[in-house]
Amino acid sequence: MLLRASPWLFALLLSACAVQPPAPPPTPVPPAARPPALITTPAATFPTLKPVDWTSFGVWQDDTVNEVWDAFLLSCSTLKKQSAWQAVCNEAATLPPPDDAATRAFFEQRFQLYQATQDDGSAEGLITGYYEPLLKGDRVQTERARYPLYAVPDDLVTVDLASVYPELKNLRLRGRLAGNKLVPYPTRKDIESPANGNGFKGTPIAWVEDPVDLFFLQIQGSGRIELPDGTHMRVGYADQNGHPYKSIGKLLVERGELKLEQASMQGIKDWGMKNPDKLPELLASNPSFVFFRELPNGLSGPLGALGVPLTGGRSIAIDPRYIPLGAPVFLATTQPNSTLPLNKLVMAQDTGGAIRGGVRADVFWGFGDAAGELAGRMKQSGKMWVLLPKDYPFASARR
């Protein structure tokens, strides 16, 4: 039936996985409630993961791996509901905080190591960074706080395509109803210019002072807003309008406005300050638009796509078509804008619209300006190895 679909449908299918919605925060189970049923992990095919032997894994010794233990337990709070992860996660929960040698032994004895590769078999890919920014704003519109963060609109329709076409796992179709037809949702330009008659009706959950900071908040996916009384409001990704992400940094380079090495977050912000008259058109060139929800301030970090708080320096975003969400991943790359090695064990706890491919990761650096400096300058080459339980149910294509 897909062969008879309209061209717009194919375009929307391709854009549907631009950003993946995080699972909601785990809900505490009342003491009297029956524990949730175990989810049988379906057989999965990840043909770009190549098994390797631990003895040939030279960079494994370069990291203090027990520093990832708390982040691993956070992943397990969700993964333990899957049959493939139940045994290793239940065992990990009974252990006292292990030292480095014990942590290393735990992973070596209970996990199979796989090198991540691209579709063409190559082993290197792009490693970037993101962070949790702090913006100035208010819960109500004021003279200074004039740019809205919108909640998910009532008319946004999201269809999980895997329920109809299993081969389209991790893809979602987004749009809105016009009569009995599903049509594309308004673009960023339409949403930010509702007076043009596109019918967008959004409900702001907060307002911020700087449109460029708001734009990058949508790219980061989560952040905090400093309110006039000094308190912080934490916000996180709730959904997206279904249009593909388009890099404004790449566009500035193509136009000759910036050199490639200047097209960092900091470089783009500096360009915007020098070219305020050109800024609205530049921002509108990215049709993707993110909607937010308010998150509890008590979280240890922003929520990723796995539904658990992210850990600065130990959480990454990956493409779940190539790497199972929640898995430990060993990353071998270099420090931001440097040739100094950065080899460390991290957790695949998030996804993102620009994270596409078998060797592709976005490192979460944490909260604030220092983390933003690292994230904005990170565009490195790197390799990745994935750790999966030894009895992980690969489909027959793997065997």
Side-chain angles (χ1 to χ4, degrees), residues 59 62-63 127-129 313-314 316 329-346 363-365 374 378-385:
V59 292
D62 292 351
D63 184 34
I127 313 298
T128 54
R314 292 291 176 174
I316 62 170
V329 175
F330 197 92
L331 188 64
T333 182
T334 51
Q335 297 282 351
N337 198 25
S338 169
T339 59
L340 294 175
L342 177 63
N343 300 329
K344 64 193 312 183
L345 186 62
V346 293
V363 178
F364 175 69
W365 284 104
L374 292 169
M378 188 163 191
K379 194 174 184 181
Q380 316 298 113
S381 175
K383 296 181 180 181
M384 299 164 62
W385 289 262

PDB file of all heavy atoms in Angstrom, residues 59 62-63 127-129 313-314 316 329-346 363-365 374 378-385:
ATOM      1  N   VAL A  59      41.153   0.092  23.984  1.00  0.00           N
ATOM      2  CA  VAL A  59      40.798   1.351  24.649  1.00  0.00           C
ATOM      3  C   VAL A  59      39.953   1.142  25.901  1.00  0.00           C
ATOM      4  O   VAL A  59      39.671   2.093  26.639  1.00  0.00           O
ATOM      5  CB  VAL A  59      40.055   2.288  23.675  1.00  0.00           C
ATOM      6  CG1 VAL A  59      40.974   2.768  22.571  1.00  0.00           C
ATOM      7  CG2 VAL A  59      38.814   1.605  23.080  1.00  0.00           C
ATOM      8  N   ASP A  62      41.124   2.644  29.141  1.00  0.00           N
ATOM      9  CA  ASP A  62      41.380   4.087  29.204  1.00  0.00           C
ATOM     10  C   ASP A  62      40.402   4.850  30.093  1.00  0.00           C
ATOM     11  O   ASP A  62      40.596   6.041  30.333  1.00  0.00           O
ATOM     12  CB  ASP A  62      41.322   4.693  27.793  1.00  0.00           C
ATOM     13  CG  ASP A  62      42.464   4.215  26.915  1.00  0.00           C
ATOM     14  OD1 ASP A  62      43.379   3.556  27.440  1.00  0.00           O
ATOM     15  OD2 ASP A  62      42.434   4.502  25.709  1.00  0.00           O
ATOM     16  N   ASP A  63      39.357   4.171  30.574  1.00  0.00           N
ATOM     17  CA  ASP A  63      38.318   4.881  31.326  1.00  0.00           C
ATOM     18  C   ASP A  63      38.165   4.296  32.718  1.00  0.00           C
ATOM     19  O   ASP A  63      38.430   3.111  32.950  1.00  0.00           O
ATOM     20  CB  ASP A  63      36.989   4.796  30.576  1.00  0.00           C
ATOM     21  CG  ASP A  63      35.863   5.588  31.249  1.00  0.00           C
ATOM     22  OD1 ASP A  63      36.164   6.656  31.831  1.00  0.00           O
ATOM     23  OD2 ASP A  63      34.703   5.154  31.192  1.00  0.00           O
ATOM     24  N   ILE A 127      30.764  12.612  16.079  1.00  0.00           N
ATOM     25  CA  ILE A 127      30.399  12.729  17.489  1.00  0.00           C
ATOM     26  C   ILE A 127      30.227  14.217  17.803  1.00  0.00           C
ATOM     27  O   ILE A 127      31.171  14.999  17.663  1.00  0.00           O
ATOM     28  CB  ILE A 127      31.466  12.115  18.412  1.00  0.00           C
ATOM     29  CG1 ILE A 127      31.889  10.724  17.924  1.00  0.00           C
ATOM     30  CG2 ILE A 127      30.938  12.070  19.840  1.00  0.00           C
ATOM     31  CD1 ILE A 127      30.795   9.702  17.891  1.00  0.00           C
ATOM     32  N   THR A 128      29.050  14.601  18.216  1.00  0.00           N
ATOM     33  CA  THR A 128      28.758  15.994  18.568  1.00  0.00           C
ATOM     34  C   THR A 128      28.345  16.072  20.038  1.00  0.00           C
ATOM     35  O   THR A 128      28.457  15.093  20.773  1.00  0.00           O
ATOM     36  CB  THR A 128      27.650  16.554  17.652  1.00  0.00           C
ATOM     37  OG1 THR A 128      26.509  15.673  17.709  1.00  0.00           O
ATOM     38  CG2 THR A 128      28.128  16.662  16.213  1.00  0.00           C
ATOM     39  N   GLY A 129      27.890  17.247  20.473  1.00  0.00           N
ATOM     40  CA  GLY A 129      27.510  17.409  21.868  1.00  0.00           C
ATOM     41  C   GLY A 129      26.273  18.263  22.036  1.00  0.00           C
ATOM     42  O   GLY A 129      25.928  19.057  21.170  1.00  0.00           O
ATOM     43  N   GLY A 313      28.153  14.038  30.765  1.00  0.00           N
ATOM     44  CA  GLY A 313      29.369  13.334  30.405  1.00  0.00           C
ATOM     45  C   GLY A 313      29.237  11.836  30.310  1.00  0.00           C
ATOM     46  O   GLY A 313      30.179  11.152  29.880  1.00  0.00           O
ATOM     47  N   ARG A 314      28.078  11.277  30.692  1.00  0.00           N
ATOM     48  CA  ARG A 314      27.900   9.827  30.679  1.00  0.00           C
ATOM     49  C   ARG A 314      26.645   9.388  29.931  1.00  0.00           C
ATOM     50  O   ARG A 314      26.353   8.181  29.897  1.00  0.00           O
ATOM     51  CB  ARG A 314      27.859   9.283  32.110  1.00  0.00           C
ATOM     52  CG  ARG A 314      29.187   9.386  32.851  1.00  0.00           C
ATOM     53  CD  ARG A 314      30.228   8.438  32.280  1.00  0.00           C
ATOM     54  NE  ARG A 314      31.544   8.594  32.930  1.00  0.00           N
ATOM     55  CZ  ARG A 314      32.586   7.816  32.693  1.00  0.00           C
ATOM     56  NH1 ARG A 314      32.503   6.826  31.819  1.00  0.00           N
ATOM     57  NH2 ARG A 314      33.749   8.045  33.307  1.00  0.00           N
ATOM     58  N   ILE A 316      24.482   9.658  26.149  1.00  0.00           N
ATOM     59  CA  ILE A 316      24.558  10.056  24.751  1.00  0.00           C
ATOM     60  C   ILE A 316      23.214   9.841  24.078  1.00  0.00           C
ATOM     61  O   ILE A 316      22.380   9.050  24.535  1.00  0.00           O
ATOM     62  CB  ILE A 316      25.652   9.288  23.965  1.00  0.00           C
ATOM     63  CG1 ILE A 316      25.358   7.787  23.950  1.00  0.00           C
ATOM     64  CG2 ILE A 316      27.023   9.583  24.519  1.00  0.00           C
ATOM     65  CD1 ILE A 316      26.254   6.998  23.004  1.00  0.00           C
ATOM     66  N   VAL A 329      27.506   2.028  25.859  1.00  0.00           N
ATOM     67  CA  VAL A 329      28.269   2.244  24.629  1.00  0.00           C
ATOM     68  C   VAL A 329      29.646   2.782  25.025  1.00  0.00           C
ATOM     69  O   VAL A 329      29.741   3.720  25.821  1.00  0.00           O
ATOM     70  CB  VAL A 329      27.565   3.256  23.701  1.00  0.00           C
ATOM     71  CG1 VAL A 329      28.431   3.564  22.477  1.00  0.00           C
ATOM     72  CG2 VAL A 329      26.198   2.741  23.264  1.00  0.00           C
ATOM     73  N   PHE A 330      30.699   2.182  24.469  1.00  0.00           N
ATOM     74  CA  PHE A 330      32.031   2.736  24.699  1.00  0.00           C
ATOM     75  C   PHE A 330      32.363   3.649  23.528  1.00  0.00           C
ATOM     76  O   PHE A 330      32.324   3.247  22.373  1.00  0.00           O
ATOM     77  CB  PHE A 330      33.098   1.657  24.844  1.00  0.00           C
ATOM     78  CG  PHE A 330      34.363   2.189  25.465  1.00  0.00           C
ATOM     79  CD1 PHE A 330      34.556   2.132  26.836  1.00  0.00           C
ATOM     80  CD2 PHE A 330      35.357   2.779  24.683  1.00  0.00           C
ATOM     81  CE1 PHE A 330      35.702   2.644  27.426  1.00  0.00           C
ATOM     82  CE2 PHE A 330      36.511   3.297  25.251  1.00  0.00           C
ATOM     83  CZ  PHE A 330      36.687   3.228  26.638  1.00  0.00           C
ATOM     84  N   LEU A 331      32.691   4.882  23.866  1.00  0.00           N
ATOM     85  CA  LEU A 331      32.938   5.922  22.881  1.00  0.00           C
ATOM     86  C   LEU A 331      34.433   6.233  22.834  1.00  0.00           C
ATOM     87  O   LEU A 331      35.049   6.483  23.863  1.00  0.00           O
ATOM     88  CB  LEU A 331      32.154   7.178  23.287  1.00  0.00           C
ATOM     89  CG  LEU A 331      32.087   8.361  22.334  1.00  0.00           C
ATOM     90  CD1 LEU A 331      31.367   7.976  21.058  1.00  0.00           C
ATOM     91  CD2 LEU A 331      31.354   9.516  23.022  1.00  0.00           C
ATOM     92  N   ALA A 332      35.013   6.179  21.629  1.00  0.00           N
ATOM     93  CA  ALA A 332      36.422   6.529  21.445  1.00  0.00           C
ATOM     94  C   ALA A 332      36.499   7.691  20.466  1.00  0.00           C
ATOM     95  O   ALA A 332      36.314   7.519  19.265  1.00  0.00           O
ATOM     96  CB  ALA A 332      37.213   5.335  20.919  1.00  0.00           C
ATOM     97  N   THR A 333      36.750   8.882  21.013  1.00  0.00           N
ATOM     98  CA  THR A 333      36.770  10.087  20.196  1.00  0.00           C
ATOM     99  C   THR A 333      37.831  11.034  20.772  1.00  0.00           C
ATOM    100  O   THR A 333      38.778  10.587  21.425  1.00  0.00           O
ATOM    101  CB  THR A 333      35.367  10.732  20.140  1.00  0.00           C
ATOM    102  OG1 THR A 333      35.389  11.879  19.296  1.00  0.00           O
ATOM    103  CG2 THR A 333      34.864  11.111  21.515  1.00  0.00           C
ATOM    104  N   THR A 334      37.682  12.325  20.532  1.00  0.00           N
ATOM    105  CA  THR A 334      38.606  13.316  21.086  1.00  0.00           C
ATOM    106  C   THR A 334      37.820  14.422  21.773  1.00  0.00           C
ATOM    107  O   THR A 334      36.628  14.619  21.507  1.00  0.00           O
ATOM    108  CB  THR A 334      39.505  13.919  19.989  1.00  0.00           C
ATOM    109  OG1 THR A 334      38.691  14.368  18.892  1.00  0.00           O
ATOM    110  CG2 THR A 334      40.499  12.893  19.474  1.00  0.00           C
ATOM    111  N   GLN A 335      38.494  15.140  22.649  1.00  0.00           N
ATOM    112  CA  GLN A 335      37.875  16.250  23.362  1.00  0.00           C
ATOM    113  C   GLN A 335      37.379  17.312  22.368  1.00  0.00           C
ATOM    114  O   GLN A 335      37.901  17.408  21.257  1.00  0.00           O
ATOM    115  CB  GLN A 335      38.870  16.882  24.329  1.00  0.00           C
ATOM    116  CG  GLN A 335      39.362  15.975  25.424  1.00  0.00           C
ATOM    117  CD  GLN A 335      38.367  15.800  26.565  1.00  0.00           C
ATOM    118  OE1 GLN A 335      37.345  16.483  26.632  1.00  0.00           O
ATOM    119  NE2 GLN A 335      38.662  14.885  27.469  1.00  0.00           N
ATOM    120  N   PRO A 336      36.369  18.105  22.753  1.00  0.00           N
ATOM    121  CA  PRO A 336      35.843  19.128  21.841  1.00  0.00           C
ATOM    122  C   PRO A 336      36.930  20.030  21.267  1.00  0.00           C
ATOM    123  O   PRO A 336      37.751  20.579  22.003  1.00  0.00           O
ATOM    124  CB  PRO A 336      34.869  19.914  22.729  1.00  0.00           C
ATOM    125  CG  PRO A 336      34.418  18.930  23.754  1.00  0.00           C
ATOM    126  CD  PRO A 336      35.623  18.067  24.022  1.00  0.00           C
ATOM    127  N   ASN A 337      36.935  20.133  19.945  1.00  0.00           N
ATOM    128  CA  ASN A 337      37.878  21.011  19.239  1.00  0.00           C
ATOM    129  C   ASN A 337      39.318  20.733  19.667  1.00  0.00           C
ATOM    130  O   ASN A 337      40.107  21.652  19.902  1.00  0.00           O
ATOM    131  CB  ASN A 337      37.524  22.476  19.482  1.00  0.00           C
ATOM    132  CG  ASN A 337      38.166  23.399  18.464  1.00  0.00           C
ATOM    133  OD1 ASN A 337      38.481  22.995  17.356  1.00  0.00           O
ATOM    134  ND2 ASN A 337      38.379  24.650  18.848  1.00  0.00           N
ATOM    135  N   SER A 338      39.678  19.450  19.762  1.00  0.00           N
ATOM    136  CA  SER A 338      40.989  19.058  20.274  1.00  0.00           C
ATOM    137  C   SER A 338      41.375  17.707  19.685  1.00  0.00           C
ATOM    138  O   SER A 338      40.536  16.984  19.138  1.00  0.00           O
ATOM    139  CB  SER A 338      40.938  18.969  21.801  1.00  0.00           C
ATOM    140  OG  SER A 338      42.099  18.368  22.328  1.00  0.00           O
ATOM    141  N   THR A 339      42.656  17.375  19.816  1.00  0.00           N
ATOM    142  CA  THR A 339      43.130  16.052  19.443  1.00  0.00           C
ATOM    143  C   THR A 339      43.381  15.173  20.661  1.00  0.00           C
ATOM    144  O   THR A 339      43.832  14.036  20.528  1.00  0.00           O
ATOM    145  CB  THR A 339      44.435  16.162  18.616  1.00  0.00           C
ATOM    146  OG1 THR A 339      45.419  16.847  19.398  1.00  0.00           O
ATOM    147  CG2 THR A 339      44.196  16.917  17.319  1.00  0.00           C
ATOM    148  N   LEU A 340      43.073  15.682  21.858  1.00  0.00           N
ATOM    149  CA  LEU A 340      43.255  14.897  23.075  1.00  0.00           C
ATOM    150  C   LEU A 340      42.222  13.780  23.131  1.00  0.00           C
ATOM    151  O   LEU A 340      41.028  14.020  22.897  1.00  0.00           O
ATOM    152  CB  LEU A 340      43.121  15.789  24.314  1.00  0.00           C
ATOM    153  CG  LEU A 340      44.197  16.866  24.492  1.00  0.00           C
ATOM    154  CD1 LEU A 340      43.861  17.750  25.690  1.00  0.00           C
ATOM    155  CD2 LEU A 340      45.571  16.224  24.659  1.00  0.00           C
ATOM    156  N   PRO A 341      42.617  12.546  23.457  1.00  0.00           N
ATOM    157  CA  PRO A 341      41.674  11.425  23.460  1.00  0.00           C
ATOM    158  C   PRO A 341      40.539  11.619  24.463  1.00  0.00           C
ATOM    159  O   PRO A 341      40.720  12.181  25.545  1.00  0.00           O
ATOM    160  CB  PRO A 341      42.548  10.226  23.850  1.00  0.00           C
ATOM    161  CG  PRO A 341      43.944  10.642  23.538  1.00  0.00           C
ATOM    162  CD  PRO A 341      43.996  12.124  23.788  1.00  0.00           C
ATOM    163  N   LEU A 342      39.364  11.140  24.090  1.00  0.00           N
ATOM    164  CA  LEU A 342      38.204  11.070  24.981  1.00  0.00           C
ATOM    165  C   LEU A 342      37.613   9.678  24.807  1.00  0.00           C
ATOM    166  O   LEU A 342      36.838   9.425  23.892  1.00  0.00           O
ATOM    167  CB  LEU A 342      37.172  12.143  24.632  1.00  0.00           C
ATOM    168  CG  LEU A 342      35.872  12.118  25.446  1.00  0.00           C
ATOM    169  CD1 LEU A 342      36.163  12.388  26.921  1.00  0.00           C
ATOM    170  CD2 LEU A 342      34.875  13.126  24.914  1.00  0.00           C
ATOM    171  N   ASN A 343      38.047   8.753  25.663  1.00  0.00           N
ATOM    172  CA  ASN A 343      37.608   7.359  25.595  1.00  0.00           C
ATOM    173  C   ASN A 343      36.851   7.041  26.876  1.00  0.00           C
ATOM    174  O   ASN A 343      37.430   7.060  27.969  1.00  0.00           O
ATOM    175  CB  ASN A 343      38.812   6.418  25.447  1.00  0.00           C
ATOM    176  CG  ASN A 343      39.612   6.717  24.194  1.00  0.00           C
ATOM    177  OD1 ASN A 343      39.063   7.165  23.195  1.00  0.00           O
ATOM    178  ND2 ASN A 343      40.917   6.454  24.251  1.00  0.00           N
ATOM    179  N   LYS A 344      35.559   6.726  26.762  1.00  0.00           N
ATOM    180  CA  LYS A 344      34.768   6.522  27.973  1.00  0.00           C
ATOM    181  C   LYS A 344      33.528   5.689  27.706  1.00  0.00           C
ATOM    182  O   LYS A 344      32.993   5.653  26.591  1.00  0.00           O
ATOM    183  CB  LYS A 344      34.385   7.868  28.597  1.00  0.00           C
ATOM    184  CG  LYS A 344      33.478   8.728  27.743  1.00  0.00           C
ATOM    185  CD  LYS A 344      33.389  10.157  28.259  1.00  0.00           C
ATOM    186  CE  LYS A 344      33.137  10.272  29.727  1.00  0.00           C
ATOM    187  NZ  LYS A 344      32.987  11.664  30.190  1.00  0.00           N
ATOM    188  N   LEU A 345      33.075   5.019  28.771  1.00  0.00           N
ATOM    189  CA  LEU A 345      31.839   4.249  28.729  1.00  0.00           C
ATOM    190  C   LEU A 345      30.672   5.184  29.032  1.00  0.00           C
ATOM    191  O   LEU A 345      30.696   5.923  30.027  1.00  0.00           O
ATOM    192  CB  LEU A 345      31.888   3.110  29.752  1.00  0.00           C
ATOM    193  CG  LEU A 345      30.720   2.127  29.731  1.00  0.00           C
ATOM    194  CD1 LEU A 345      30.639   1.398  28.387  1.00  0.00           C
ATOM    195  CD2 LEU A 345      30.852   1.124  30.875  1.00  0.00           C
ATOM    196  N   VAL A 346      29.666   5.164  28.175  1.00  0.00           N
ATOM    197  CA  VAL A 346      28.505   6.050  28.315  1.00  0.00           C
ATOM    198  C   VAL A 346      27.233   5.218  28.136  1.00  0.00           C
ATOM    199  O   VAL A 346      27.288   4.034  27.805  1.00  0.00           O
ATOM    200  CB  VAL A 346      28.553   7.189  27.267  1.00  0.00           C
ATOM    201  CG1 VAL A 346      29.718   8.132  27.541  1.00  0.00           C
ATOM    202  CG2 VAL A 346      28.649   6.629  25.842  1.00  0.00           C
ATOM    203  N   VAL A 363      26.919  13.686  22.633  1.00  0.00           N
ATOM    204  CA  VAL A 363      27.286  13.565  24.045  1.00  0.00           C
ATOM    205  C   VAL A 363      26.575  14.645  24.854  1.00  0.00           C
ATOM    206  O   VAL A 363      26.675  15.832  24.540  1.00  0.00           O
ATOM    207  CB  VAL A 363      28.813  13.696  24.237  1.00  0.00           C
ATOM    208  CG1 VAL A 363      29.176  13.614  25.718  1.00  0.00           C
ATOM    209  CG2 VAL A 363      29.545  12.618  23.440  1.00  0.00           C
ATOM    210  N   PHE A 364      25.881  14.240  25.909  1.00  0.00           N
ATOM    211  CA  PHE A 364      25.249  15.204  26.811  1.00  0.00           C
ATOM    212  C   PHE A 364      26.280  15.661  27.833  1.00  0.00           C
ATOM    213  O   PHE A 364      26.815  14.863  28.614  1.00  0.00           O
ATOM    214  CB  PHE A 364      24.050  14.574  27.527  1.00  0.00           C
ATOM    215  CG  PHE A 364      23.432  15.489  28.556  1.00  0.00           C
ATOM    216  CD1 PHE A 364      22.753  16.629  28.151  1.00  0.00           C
ATOM    217  CD2 PHE A 364      23.543  15.215  29.910  1.00  0.00           C
ATOM    218  CE1 PHE A 364      22.201  17.496  29.095  1.00  0.00           C
ATOM    219  CE2 PHE A 364      22.978  16.068  30.852  1.00  0.00           C
ATOM    220  CZ  PHE A 364      22.311  17.212  30.439  1.00  0.00           C
ATOM    221  N   TRP A 365      26.570  16.981  27.822  1.00  0.00           N
ATOM    222  CA  TRP A 365      27.644  17.504  28.660  1.00  0.00           C
ATOM    223  C   TRP A 365      27.169  18.047  29.999  1.00  0.00           C
ATOM    224  O   TRP A 365      27.983  18.397  30.850  1.00  0.00           O
ATOM    225  CB  TRP A 365      28.410  18.589  27.902  1.00  0.00           C
ATOM    226  CG  TRP A 365      29.334  18.027  26.871  1.00  0.00           C
ATOM    227  CD1 TRP A 365      29.165  17.997  25.522  1.00  0.00           C
ATOM    228  CD2 TRP A 365      30.589  17.390  27.118  1.00  0.00           C
ATOM    229  NE1 TRP A 365      30.224  17.367  24.913  1.00  0.00           N
ATOM    230  CE2 TRP A 365      31.122  16.994  25.874  1.00  0.00           C
ATOM    231  CE3 TRP A 365      31.320  17.110  28.272  1.00  0.00           C
ATOM    232  CZ2 TRP A 365      32.336  16.332  25.754  1.00  0.00           C
ATOM    233  CZ3 TRP A 365      32.545  16.450  28.148  1.00  0.00           C
ATOM    234  CH2 TRP A 365      33.037  16.076  26.896  1.00  0.00           C
ATOM    235  N   LEU A 374      31.410  23.300  25.813  1.00  0.00           N
ATOM    236  CA  LEU A 374      31.887  22.000  25.331  1.00  0.00           C
ATOM    237  C   LEU A 374      30.983  21.465  24.227  1.00  0.00           C
ATOM    238  O   LEU A 374      31.462  20.996  23.184  1.00  0.00           O
ATOM    239  CB  LEU A 374      31.944  21.007  26.498  1.00  0.00           C
ATOM    240  CG  LEU A 374      32.996  21.285  27.575  1.00  0.00           C
ATOM    241  CD1 LEU A 374      32.767  20.389  28.782  1.00  0.00           C
ATOM    242  CD2 LEU A 374      34.392  21.078  27.028  1.00  0.00           C
ATOM    243  N   MET A 378      31.916  20.730  20.057  1.00  0.00           N
ATOM    244  CA  MET A 378      32.224  19.324  19.794  1.00  0.00           C
ATOM    245  C   MET A 378      31.687  18.894  18.437  1.00  0.00           C
ATOM    246  O   MET A 378      30.482  18.828  18.206  1.00  0.00           O
ATOM    247  CB  MET A 378      31.651  18.429  20.886  1.00  0.00           C
ATOM    248  CG  MET A 378      32.123  16.988  20.736  1.00  0.00           C
ATOM    249  SD  MET A 378      31.902  16.025  22.218  1.00  0.00           S
ATOM    250  CE  MET A 378      32.849  14.566  21.814  1.00  0.00           C
ATOM    251  N   LYS A 379      32.597  18.572  17.554  1.00  0.00           N
ATOM    252  CA  LYS A 379      32.266  18.035  16.235  1.00  0.00           C
ATOM    253  C   LYS A 379      33.461  17.189  15.819  1.00  0.00           C
ATOM    254  O   LYS A 379      34.258  17.567  14.986  1.00  0.00           O
ATOM    255  CB  LYS A 379      31.994  19.160  15.237  1.00  0.00           C
ATOM    256  CG  LYS A 379      31.329  18.687  13.953  1.00  0.00           C
ATOM    257  CD  LYS A 379      30.943  19.864  13.067  1.00  0.00           C
ATOM    258  CE  LYS A 379      30.204  19.385  11.828  1.00  0.00           C
ATOM    259  NZ  LYS A 379      29.833  20.515  10.943  1.00  0.00           N
ATOM    260  N   GLN A 380      33.555  16.007  16.446  1.00  0.00           N
ATOM    261  CA  GLN A 380      34.744  15.178  16.343  1.00  0.00           C
ATOM    262  C   GLN A 380      34.443  13.887  15.579  1.00  0.00           C
ATOM    263  O   GLN A 380      33.294  13.456  15.479  1.00  0.00           O
ATOM    264  CB  GLN A 380      35.258  14.820  17.747  1.00  0.00           C
ATOM    265  CG  GLN A 380      35.272  15.968  18.747  1.00  0.00           C
ATOM    266  CD  GLN A 380      36.177  17.116  18.346  1.00  0.00           C
ATOM    267  OE1 GLN A 380      35.712  18.203  18.055  1.00  0.00           O
ATOM    268  NE2 GLN A 380      37.475  16.847  18.308  1.00  0.00           N
ATOM    269  N   SER A 381      35.503  13.244  15.110  1.00  0.00           N
ATOM    270  CA  SER A 381      35.398  11.907  14.555  1.00  0.00           C
ATOM    271  C   SER A 381      35.535  10.901  15.688  1.00  0.00           C
ATOM    272  O   SER A 381      36.247  11.162  16.666  1.00  0.00           O
ATOM    273  CB  SER A 381      36.486  11.685  13.504  1.00  0.00           C
ATOM    274  OG  SER A 381      36.473  10.362  13.021  1.00  0.00           O
ATOM    275  N   GLY A 382      34.868   9.754  15.576  1.00  0.00           N
ATOM    276  CA  GLY A 382      34.971   8.778  16.645  1.00  0.00           C
ATOM    277  C   GLY A 382      34.502   7.401  16.247  1.00  0.00           C
ATOM    278  O   GLY A 382      33.938   7.197  15.164  1.00  0.00           O
ATOM    279  N   LYS A 383      34.756   6.438  17.140  1.00  0.00           N
ATOM    280  CA  LYS A 383      34.303   5.060  16.975  1.00  0.00           C
ATOM    281  C   LYS A 383      33.446   4.681  18.189  1.00  0.00           C
ATOM    282  O   LYS A 383      33.559   5.298  19.263  1.00  0.00           O
ATOM    283  CB  LYS A 383      35.494   4.112  16.854  1.00  0.00           C
ATOM    284  CG  LYS A 383      36.359   4.357  15.619  1.00  0.00           C
ATOM    285  CD  LYS A 383      37.514   3.364  15.559  1.00  0.00           C
ATOM    286  CE  LYS A 383      38.375   3.603  14.317  1.00  0.00           C
ATOM    287  NZ  LYS A 383      39.500   2.626  14.227  1.00  0.00           N
ATOM    288  N   MET A 384      32.610   3.651  18.023  1.00  0.00           N
ATOM    289  CA  MET A 384      31.690   3.253  19.075  1.00  0.00           C
ATOM    290  C   MET A 384      31.615   1.728  19.170  1.00  0.00           C
ATOM    291  O   MET A 384      31.633   1.034  18.153  1.00  0.00           O
ATOM    292  CB  MET A 384      30.291   3.831  18.801  1.00  0.00           C
ATOM    293  CG  MET A 384      30.244   5.349  18.764  1.00  0.00           C
ATOM    294  SD  MET A 384      28.728   6.006  18.001  1.00  0.00           S
ATOM    295  CE  MET A 384      27.473   5.373  19.124  1.00  0.00           C
ATOM    296  N   TRP A 385      31.542   1.236  20.421  1.00  0.00           N
ATOM    297  CA  TRP A 385      31.317  -0.175  20.678  1.00  0.00           C
ATOM    298  C   TRP A 385      30.101  -0.302  21.586  1.00  0.00           C
ATOM    299  O   TRP A 385      29.948   0.468  22.535  1.00  0.00           O
ATOM    300  CB  TRP A 385      32.525  -0.804  21.349  1.00  0.00           C
ATOM    301  CG  TRP A 385      33.722  -0.955  20.466  1.00  0.00           C
ATOM    302  CD1 TRP A 385      34.118  -2.070  19.788  1.00  0.00           C
ATOM    303  CD2 TRP A 385      34.712   0.048  20.175  1.00  0.00           C
ATOM    304  NE1 TRP A 385      35.279  -1.824  19.088  1.00  0.00           N
ATOM    305  CE2 TRP A 385      35.663  -0.535  19.303  1.00  0.00           C
ATOM    306  CE3 TRP A 385      34.883   1.388  20.554  1.00  0.00           C
ATOM    307  CZ2 TRP A 385      36.758   0.170  18.813  1.00  0.00           C
ATOM    308  CZ3 TRP A 385      35.969   2.094  20.060  1.00  0.00           C
ATOM    309  CH2 TRP A 385      36.891   1.479  19.201  1.00  0.00           C
TER     310      TRP A 385
END
